[in-house]
Amino acid sequence: MINANEVIGSHNVLFVTFDSLRYDVARATTHGGRTPNLENLLPDGLWEERRTQGSFTLPAHAAFFSGFLPVPSGPERPGRLLACHAIRGTTIKKQTFVFDAPNIVDGLSGLGYRTVCIGGVGFFSNQTKLGRVLPGLFQESYWNPKTGTDCPDSTRHQVDIALNVLREQETGSLLFLFLNIPATHTPHHVYLQGETVDTWESQCAALAYVDTQLGRLFDAMPDAGPWLVLLCADHGEAFGEDGYHGHGIAHPTVWTVPYAESLMPLPAAPHH
């Protein structure tokens, strides 16, 4: 478990949410060797099974940006990585970095971080008043139809923007870079040739596509200094299990999500 007090203020932060990505999809796709770039960042090359805080994008991200990331799937509740100061914070432990702020985005900004949001699904689109709430937390936010759910090459366009952000970053300054990945959100049948219906298999194909693009970002990040990397889904998706479809519903396929936290570069192995 990472001690956030040892990295916040010295490390850049990358936070990527894979919209609607099921845990079993992430696990199977990685196990099949189809996401090599993500696998390099995952602790021991594995996703952790966790439970999300919301069944669709808006409540899940409202919780995440308040410091309530997906929680371990078992009954134990280790301390949170990040938190905002609260009167009664039962999951605030010694490894938790506590911001005196209403959300972690404001908290990081107050510590001198440049905060950048690259959307994503409609809740990050800035196209409506509701669609401005989440990106409005950030100093800078980017969205256009090419980075949205209806563009099959959305991740490439998002990474292009992220690489421009990195190029503009002043040497020695700190960056909080957030990406909401819409490619794993419906419609993802486009990633399987000839398919017309979104399925478990097409979400696997979508994640494999996403990995091909994220590799470009991961390769460029070390030039900006060390990073704390947070990777997770905001929620999952039902593909007909028990008669359920979609998300925004109380079903295990929706609540169970992949999660990973890691440092880049990886800490050096201790000498014996």
Side-chain angles (χ1 to χ4, degrees):
M1 183 173 291
I2 294 171
N3 185 339
N5 292 289
E6 296 177 353
V7 296
I8 297 297
S10 61
H11 287 54
N12 300 300
V13 180
L14 173 70
F15 184 16
V16 181
T17 57
F18 300 82
D19 212 283
S20 309
L21 179 63
R22 288 168 55 134
Y23 168 71
D24 57 357
V25 165
R27 180 184 61 186
T29 309
T30 299
H31 182 71
R34 301 174 67 187
T35 56
N37 295 301
L38 283 165
E39 188 174 348
N40 286 338
L41 275 180
L42 303 178
D44 299 320
L46 301 171
W47 289 101
E48 180 184 350
E49 179 182 343
R50 288 204 172 192
R51 303 286 184 259
T52 187
Q53 308 282 3
S55 65
F56 68 104
T57 302
L58 182 62
H61 284 86
F64 297 167
F65 293 148
S66 300
F68 297 96
L69 296 170
V71 298
S73 57
E76 298 299 319
R77 284 292 174 268
R80 285 186 282 146
L81 186 70
L82 308 170
C84 296
H85 181 68
I87 294 175
R88 187 170 179 264
T90 57
T91 53
I92 294 175
K93 308 293 185 181
K94 62 181 181 180
Q95 76 271 18
T96 309
F97 189 96
V98 182
F99 297 97
D100 186 16
N103 58 73
I104 66 171
V105 189
D106 279 4
L108 289 165
S109 177
L111 294 175
Y113 281 77
R114 174 189 178 194
T115 63
V116 179
C117 169
I118 303 175
V121 302
F123 288 109
F124 293 96
S125 69
N126 286 308
Q127 299 300 291
T128 64
K129 290 182 178 179
L130 181 58
R132 289 194 284 270
V133 172
L134 293 173
L137 299 174
F138 293 78
Q139 296 166 1
E140 304 170 35
S141 65
Y142 299 92
W143 185 92
N144 65 66
K146 290 183 177 180
T147 69
T149 53
D150 295 321
C151 177
D153 215 5
S154 57
T155 312
R156 177 171 67 88
H157 296 295
Q158 289 183 294
V159 170
D160 287 344
I161 295 170
L163 293 176
N164 282 332
V165 169
L166 287 176
R167 281 190 285 268
E168 295 167 356
Q169 188 69 7
E170 295 181 10
T171 302
S173 58
L174 292 166
L175 174 65
F176 174 38
L177 179 60
F178 169 78
L179 283 79
N180 170 252
I181 301 292
T184 46
H185 187 286
T186 54
H188 42 67
H189 61 269
V190 295
Y191 299 102
L192 283 181
Q193 188 172 1
E195 290 296 318
T196 58
V197 178
D198 297 315
T199 62
W200 189 93
E201 290 80 8
S202 66
Q203 193 176 66
C204 290
L207 183 59
Y209 155 73
V210 170
D211 187 81
T212 66
Q213 299 302 315
L214 287 181
R216 297 189 295 131
L217 175 59
F218 298 159
D219 288 345
M221 284 165 53
D223 291 339
W227 291 80
L228 168 63
V229 179
L230 304 173
L231 307 168
C232 69
D234 55 346
H235 55 80
E237 185 88 358
F239 294 119
E241 293 85 357
D242 302 312
Y244 288 91
H245 293 270
H247 51 265
I249 51 178
H251 191 271
T253 57
V254 174
W255 292 111
T256 307
V257 296
Y259 177 88
E261 58 188 53
S262 63
L263 299 175
M264 178 193 284
L266 295 172
H271 294 287
H272 295 290

